[in-house]
Short mmCIF file of all heavy atoms in Angstrom, two decimals:
data_model
loop_
_atom_site.label_atom_id
_atom_site.label_comp_id
_atom_site.label_asym_id
_atom_site.label_seq_id
_atom_site.Cartn_x
_atom_site.Cartn_y
_atom_site.Cartn_z
N MET R 1 0.82 -1.20 -0.01
CA MET R 1 0.01 0.01 0.01
C MET R 1 0.89 1.27 -0.02
O MET R 1 0.59 2.19 -0.74
CB MET R 1 -0.90 -0.05 1.23
CG MET R 1 -1.90 1.05 1.28
SD MET R 1 -3.14 0.87 0.02
CE MET R 1 -4.22 2.16 0.43
N ARG R 4 2.42 1.99 -3.37
CA ARG R 4 1.47 2.59 -4.29
C ARG R 4 1.39 4.11 -4.07
O ARG R 4 1.33 4.87 -5.02
CB ARG R 4 0.10 1.97 -4.06
CG ARG R 4 -0.96 2.56 -4.97
CD ARG R 4 -2.29 1.87 -4.80
NE ARG R 4 -3.30 2.58 -5.53
CZ ARG R 4 -4.37 3.10 -5.00
NH1 ARG R 4 -4.69 2.92 -3.72
NH2 ARG R 4 -5.24 3.77 -5.73
N LEU R 13 4.07 14.34 -9.32
CA LEU R 13 5.18 15.24 -9.44
C LEU R 13 5.79 15.24 -10.81
O LEU R 13 6.05 16.30 -11.41
CB LEU R 13 6.25 14.94 -8.38
CG LEU R 13 7.50 15.78 -8.39
CD1 LEU R 13 7.06 17.26 -8.16
CD2 LEU R 13 8.45 15.35 -7.31
N LEU R 17 5.80 18.54 -13.15
CA LEU R 17 7.07 19.07 -13.64
C LEU R 17 7.21 18.92 -15.16
O LEU R 17 7.80 19.79 -15.83
CB LEU R 17 8.26 18.37 -12.92
CG LEU R 17 8.35 18.67 -11.43
CD1 LEU R 17 9.47 17.87 -10.79
CD2 LEU R 17 8.52 20.12 -11.13
N GLY R 29 8.57 23.33 -28.95
CA GLY R 29 8.25 22.02 -28.43
C GLY R 29 6.86 21.56 -28.92
O GLY R 29 6.21 22.21 -29.74
N GLY R 39 -7.55 26.06 -29.38
CA GLY R 39 -8.13 26.08 -28.08
C GLY R 39 -9.52 25.50 -28.15
O GLY R 39 -9.82 24.76 -29.11
N VAL R 74 -11.27 19.20 0.09
CA VAL R 74 -11.92 18.37 -0.91
C VAL R 74 -11.91 16.94 -0.40
O VAL R 74 -10.88 16.25 -0.46
CB VAL R 74 -11.23 18.46 -2.24
CG1 VAL R 74 -11.93 17.62 -3.34
CG2 VAL R 74 -11.12 19.92 -2.69
N GLN R 76 -12.67 14.14 -1.46
CA GLN R 76 -12.23 13.08 -2.36
C GLN R 76 -10.70 12.95 -2.45
O GLN R 76 -10.16 11.97 -2.98
CB GLN R 76 -12.74 13.29 -3.79
CG GLN R 76 -14.26 13.22 -3.88
CD GLN R 76 -14.95 14.55 -3.66
OE1 GLN R 76 -14.36 15.51 -3.13
NE2 GLN R 76 -16.22 14.66 -4.08
N PRO R 91 12.39 26.58 -8.93
CA PRO R 91 12.55 28.01 -9.27
C PRO R 91 11.45 28.49 -10.26
O PRO R 91 11.22 27.87 -11.31
CB PRO R 91 13.90 28.03 -9.92
CG PRO R 91 14.65 26.82 -9.38
CD PRO R 91 13.56 25.80 -9.17
N ASN R 106 2.79 29.60 -11.03
CA ASN R 106 3.68 29.76 -12.18
C ASN R 106 3.73 31.25 -12.55
O ASN R 106 2.73 31.89 -12.88
CB ASN R 106 3.24 28.95 -13.37
CG ASN R 106 4.29 28.92 -14.47
OD1 ASN R 106 4.81 29.94 -14.87
ND2 ASN R 106 4.61 27.73 -14.92
N VAL R 112 4.74 31.92 -21.43
CA VAL R 112 4.35 30.69 -20.71
C VAL R 112 2.86 30.71 -20.38
O VAL R 112 2.14 29.75 -20.58
CB VAL R 112 5.19 30.49 -19.45
CG1 VAL R 112 4.71 29.34 -18.61
CG2 VAL R 112 6.68 30.27 -19.83
N LEU R 125 -12.88 26.44 -19.54
CA LEU R 125 -13.91 26.20 -18.55
C LEU R 125 -14.56 27.55 -18.26
O LEU R 125 -13.99 28.60 -18.53
CB LEU R 125 -13.29 25.67 -17.26
CG LEU R 125 -12.61 24.30 -17.28
CD1 LEU R 125 -11.92 24.03 -15.93
CD2 LEU R 125 -13.60 23.25 -17.60
N LYS R 139 -3.00 11.32 -19.82
CA LYS R 139 -3.01 9.89 -19.53
C LYS R 139 -1.64 9.35 -19.90
O LYS R 139 -1.18 9.51 -21.03
CB LYS R 139 -4.12 9.21 -20.30
CG LYS R 139 -5.51 9.62 -19.92
CD LYS R 139 -6.53 8.96 -20.79
CE LYS R 139 -7.91 9.57 -20.52
NZ LYS R 139 -8.95 9.02 -21.41
N GLU R 156 1.04 35.35 -14.73
CA GLU R 156 1.03 34.46 -13.60
C GLU R 156 -0.28 33.67 -13.56
O GLU R 156 -1.36 34.21 -13.83
CB GLU R 156 1.19 35.27 -12.32
CG GLU R 156 1.38 34.47 -11.08
CD GLU R 156 1.63 35.37 -9.88
OE1 GLU R 156 0.88 36.37 -9.69
OE2 GLU R 156 2.55 35.10 -9.14
N SER R 167 -10.73 6.38 -8.27
CA SER R 167 -11.83 6.70 -9.18
C SER R 167 -11.37 7.56 -10.35
O SER R 167 -11.64 8.74 -10.37
CB SER R 167 -12.96 7.40 -8.44
OG SER R 167 -12.46 8.55 -7.79
N GLN R 170 -13.51 10.22 -12.10
CA GLN R 170 -13.88 11.42 -11.41
C GLN R 170 -12.71 12.42 -11.25
O GLN R 170 -12.89 13.46 -10.64
CB GLN R 170 -14.42 11.08 -10.02
CG GLN R 170 -15.72 10.28 -10.08
CD GLN R 170 -16.17 9.89 -8.70
OE1 GLN R 170 -15.44 10.04 -7.70
NE2 GLN R 170 -17.40 9.40 -8.58
N ALA R 175 -10.61 17.71 -9.62
CA ALA R 175 -9.66 18.83 -9.95
C ALA R 175 -10.48 20.16 -9.97
O ALA R 175 -9.99 21.19 -9.51
CB ALA R 175 -8.97 18.58 -11.26
N VAL R 181 -11.72 25.77 -4.66
CA VAL R 181 -11.22 26.16 -3.31
C VAL R 181 -10.04 27.13 -3.49
O VAL R 181 -9.99 28.17 -2.82
CB VAL R 181 -10.77 24.89 -2.55
CG1 VAL R 181 -10.00 25.25 -1.30
CG2 VAL R 181 -11.93 24.01 -2.22
#
Side-chain angles (χ1 to χ4, degrees):
M1 184 71 173
R4 179 177 172 237
L13 181 58
L17 294 176
V74 182
Q76 295 91 341
N106 190 309
V112 171
L125 296 174
K139 296 176 186 176
E156 189 175 48
S167 56
Q170 296 177 349
V181 170

